[in-house]
């Protein structure tokens, strides 16, 4: 057990989280920011830099760090394409859908869909967003536990409890402003840590990186794993669906919109792409290389996809570097947990609680959000050990957001039919579950036909046909432009 390393890591996390959280919380109370949506939306006053960094780290978590390292076990360097996919996603969020939603004045994506189609479609969107957000918080606790277990050798569940407590503190004290400033610190830390690990591996890997390449390419079944293009099956079954799912899901999900809602203006939102795209999109490069290095050494490979890279880092890197990486990776996962938990809490307090209590104040919504974050944290701790690998799980989650994106575009620029939207949502979600649950892919010999393709096909066909034949109104922005004219 690396007691000294563990103490340094936990001390850093507790001091930074409690220090920044308590400081911002006091400032919010003095300025009355909490009454203006300060907890969930930072009072709507953040500049492009903090918006971009917060967006980048919100959507940079379990699937990027240990998830990408684990992906290298099966797909090699092409695992980096998850980062490329997320760079595309950042463009969609900051320069397409984010500004659309902000112009409507909506605080949540469910509220926005309600503006377009009606209450039923809005509530359905809110419900599915809340459920998927909670599912992703479980993944973040999973990788937080792996990082702590790597350091301590303690039982996985004990590490999940410690990590879950840290994760809840990351957001519950002061909300989005706390997250934004912590993210600024952790964004710098995580890149410094990854570069330090990479340098150590250059020095300490048996035979260096040349040996990694030679070992992997020596066998025909793994020779393609050192190429960033992998093979055609992975391009079709992983790279394209990742870009498709990430862009369409987060483009019209509360997890993608929550940081956007904190910006001063749409101008700041659009400028934030330079921070969000760079920080998030480049991240997967080094974890993919770390993963393929661990895969090339049989002793580490035998530990399995999730543990091979942590085991290699512990043995080949000095303790200060291990501590630095643990702080960086924990910061990444804690950041993702924070907004993944805050997003469903915001949805429930703003979209669902107000159905019961229409005149609820911001203070009441904030109190409820804090309670919900604790509940989500406890649930995440209890079930985080019963999930598949992060990246496949995340890509499956993405498929549920694709019909929301498709119908939003149709409703904005063509025609609004609530009945068409509800039917498209329900049928597509059923198709996604059937395709991914009952072995239909393998039975039809379509193992590489990703569930995101199924979701997109059903969404487009049903959405277009049903919208065309069922009664409805003109598209939201088409109607607005006509009225202005």
């Amino acid at each position: 057990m690396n007691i000294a390393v563990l103490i340094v890591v936990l001390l850093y996390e507790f001091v930074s989280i409690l220090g920044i959280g308590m400081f911002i919380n006091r400032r919010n109370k003095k300025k009355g920011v909490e009454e203006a949506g300060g907890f969930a939306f930072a009072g709507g006053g953040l500049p492009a830099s903090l918006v971009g960094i917060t967006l980048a780290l919100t959507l940079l978590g379990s699937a990027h760090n240990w998830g990408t390292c684990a992906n290298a076990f099966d797909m090699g360097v092409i695992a980096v394409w998850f980062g490329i996919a997320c760079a595309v996603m950042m463009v969609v969020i900051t320069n397409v859908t984010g500004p659309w939603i902000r112009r409507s004045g909506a605080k949540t994506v469910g509220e926005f869909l309600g503006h377009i189609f009606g209450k039923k479609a809005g509530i359905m969107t809110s419900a599915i967003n809340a459920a998927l957000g909670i599912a992703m918080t479980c993944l973040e606790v999973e990788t937080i536990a792996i990082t702590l277990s790597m350091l301590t050798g303690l039982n996985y569940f004990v590490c999940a409890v410690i990590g879950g407590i840290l994760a809840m503190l990351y957001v519950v004290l002061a909300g989005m402003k706390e997250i934004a400033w912590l993210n600024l610190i952790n964004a710098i830390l995580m890149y410094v840590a990854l570069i330090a690990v990479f340098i150590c591996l250059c020095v300490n890997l048996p035979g260096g990186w040349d040996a990694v390449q030679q070992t992997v390419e020596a066998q025909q079944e793994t020779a393609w794993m050192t190429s960033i293009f992998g093979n055609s099956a992975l391009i079709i079954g992983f790279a394209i669906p990742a870009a498709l799912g990430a862009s369409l899901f987060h483009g019209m999900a509360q997890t993608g919109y929550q940081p956007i809602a904190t910006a001063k203006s749409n101008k700041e939102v659009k400028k934030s792409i330079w921070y969000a795209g760079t920080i998030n999109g480049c991240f997967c490069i080094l974890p993919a290389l770390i993963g393929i290095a661990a895969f090339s050494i049989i002793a580490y490979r035998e530990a399995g996809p999730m543990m091979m890279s942590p085991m290699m880092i512990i043995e080949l890197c000095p303790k200060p570097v291990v501590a630095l990486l643990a702080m960086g990776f924990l910061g990444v996962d804690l950041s993702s947990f924070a907004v993944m938990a805050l997003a469903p809490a915001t949805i429930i307090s703003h979209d669902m609680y107000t159905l019961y209590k229409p005149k609820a104040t911001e203070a009441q919504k904030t109190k409820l959000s804090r309670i919900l974050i604790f509940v989500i944290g406890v649930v995440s701790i209890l079930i985080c050990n019963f999930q598949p690998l992060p990246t496949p799980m995340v890509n499956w989650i993405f498929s549920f957001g694709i019909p929301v994106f498709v119908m939003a575009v149709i409703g904005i620029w063509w025609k609004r039919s609530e009945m068409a939207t509800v039917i498209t949502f329900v049928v597509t979600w059923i198709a996604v579950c059937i395709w991914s649950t009952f072995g239909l892919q393998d039975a039809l010999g379509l193992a590489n036909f990703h569930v995101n393709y199924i979701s997109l096909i059903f969404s487009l066909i049903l959405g277009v046909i049903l919208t065309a034949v069922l009664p409805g109104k003109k598209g939201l922005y088409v109607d607005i432009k006509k009225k202005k004219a």
Side-chain angles (χ1 to χ4, degrees):
M1 183 184 294
N2 295 289
I3 294 293
V5 173
L6 177 64
I7 291 171
V8 169
V9 171
L10 291 181
L11 189 62
Y12 164 76
E13 298 297 348
F14 275 111
V15 169
S16 61
I17 291 169
L18 291 174
I20 290 175
M22 292 171 69
F23 174 73
I24 293 173
N25 192 38
R26 281 198 300 270
R27 286 189 63 185
N28 283 349
K29 286 181 178 178
K30 284 181 180 179
K31 295 182 178 181
V33 175
E34 195 160 281
E35 289 298 324
F39 184 79
F41 307 110
L46 297 186
S49 55
L50 286 180
V51 173
I53 292 168
T54 299
L55 180 62
L57 267 71
T58 293
L59 306 180
L60 195 165
S62 57
H64 285 75
N65 48 37
W66 295 127
T68 296
C69 291
N71 276 352
F73 187 93
D74 295 310
M75 60 183 68
V77 179
I78 198 176
V80 78
W81 277 72
F82 191 80
I84 297 170
C86 289
V88 176
M89 169 187 71
M90 292 300 170
V91 175
V92 173
I93 294 171
T94 58
N95 284 264
V96 183
T97 58
W100 288 353
I101 301 170
R102 282 180 60 93
R103 286 191 206 109
S104 74
K107 292 295 186 183
T108 67
V109 172
E111 185 183 350
F112 181 60
L113 268 288
H115 287 336
I116 301 174
F117 298 108
K119 186 177 287 187
K120 289 179 183 177
I123 292 173
M124 286 183 71
T125 303
S126 294
I128 196 71
N129 262 263
L132 297 176
I134 293 168
M136 286 190 283
T137 62
C138 298
L139 293 174
E140 301 311 320
V141 173
E142 179 182 350
T143 49
I144 291 168
I146 287 170
T147 303
L148 291 173
S149 181
M150 172 190 79
L151 291 176
T152 64
L154 289 173
N155 176 276
Y156 179 90
F157 182 73
V158 173
C159 292
V161 172
I162 296 170
I165 292 169
L166 282 171
M168 288 183 275
L169 289 174
Y170 201 99
V171 60
V172 80
L173 293 175
M176 280 303 295
K177 274 194 177 178
E178 178 186 9
I179 294 168
W181 285 104
L182 283 168
N183 284 356
L184 176 61
I185 297 168
N186 286 323
I188 297 168
L189 181 65
M190 70 178 185
Y191 270 104
V192 171
L194 274 175
I195 292 167
V197 169
F198 184 74
I199 292 171
C200 287
L201 293 181
C202 288
V203 175
N204 296 329
L205 270 173
W209 288 100
D210 288 339
V212 172
Q213 184 173 1
Q214 291 167 8
T215 301
V216 175
E217 292 180 351
Q219 299 183 41
Q220 187 175 355
E221 61 269 24
T222 60
W224 50 269
M225 293 179 76
T226 57
S227 168
I228 194 171
F229 296 104
N231 56 43
S232 58
L234 285 172
I235 292 290
I236 295 169
F238 171 73
I240 296 173
L244 177 70
S247 300
L248 301 194
F249 174 77
H250 284 300
M252 200 58 69
Q254 190 65 24
T255 47
Y257 181 62
Q258 193 90 21
I260 298 299
T262 67
K264 290 179 182 178
S265 64
N266 271 352
K267 183 178 179 181
E268 296 297 310
V269 170
K270 292 182 178 180
K271 284 164 56 179
S272 70
I273 181 59
W274 298 108
Y275 301 92
T278 304
I279 293 170
N280 192 294
C282 295
F283 185 85
C284 285
I285 296 170
L286 292 180
L289 292 175
I290 291 169
I292 197 69
F295 177 83
S296 71
I297 300 172
I298 293 175
Y300 302 136
R301 190 191 310 177
E302 289 177 347
M306 283 304 290
M307 295 310 297
M308 65 178 186
S309 298
M311 182 182 291
M312 178 184 71
I313 291 166
I314 283 286
E315 292 189 5
L316 298 185
C317 295
K319 288 183 179 180
V321 173
V322 173
L324 197 63
L325 183 74
M327 288 187 284
F329 273 22
L330 276 177
V332 167
D333 292 331
L334 292 170
S335 160
S336 291
F337 174 95
V339 180
M340 297 300 178
L342 182 58
T346 301
I347 289 168
I348 294 169
S349 62
H350 280 71
D351 294 352
M352 298 175 183
Y353 179 57
T354 50
L355 294 174
Y356 163 72
K357 195 168 185 177
K359 296 183 180 180
T361 64
E362 284 298 327
Q364 289 172 324
K365 293 176 186 176
T366 296
K367 182 178 180 181
L368 177 60
S369 292
R370 283 192 167 110
I371 294 169
L372 289 168
I373 288 165
F374 277 117
V375 172
I376 292 167
V378 171
V379 170
S380 300
I381 291 167
L382 291 175
I383 69 173
C384 70
N385 198 28
F386 301 98
Q387 298 182 128
L389 294 176
T391 305
M393 181 66 177
V394 166
N395 275 329
W396 181 78
I397 287 171
F398 287 165
S399 64
F400 286 84
I402 291 174
V404 179
F405 184 96
V406 169
M407 294 311 298
V409 172
I410 289 173
I412 290 170
W413 299 111
W414 176 30
K415 181 181 172 184
R416 291 178 281 167
S417 169
E418 186 168 35
M419 187 179 295
T421 301
V422 170
I423 294 171
T424 300
F425 284 177
V426 172
V427 175
T428 302
W429 292 336
I430 291 171
V432 163
C433 291
I434 291 172
W435 186 255
S436 56
T437 305
F438 298 104
L440 199 56
Q441 284 176 274
D442 295 330
L444 296 174
L446 296 170
N448 286 322
F449 200 75
H450 198 278
V451 68
N452 285 345
Y453 295 134
I454 292 293
S455 184
L456 183 61
I457 290 168
F458 271 81
S459 300
L460 287 173
I461 293 174
L462 289 172
V464 170
I465 293 175
L466 291 173
T467 299
V469 301
L470 292 174
K473 305 173 185 176
K474 289 183 179 178
L476 180 66
Y477 289 165
V478 173
D479 198 27
I480 291 171
K481 286 184 178 180
K482 185 178 178 182
K483 288 176 181 178
K484 286 183 178 179

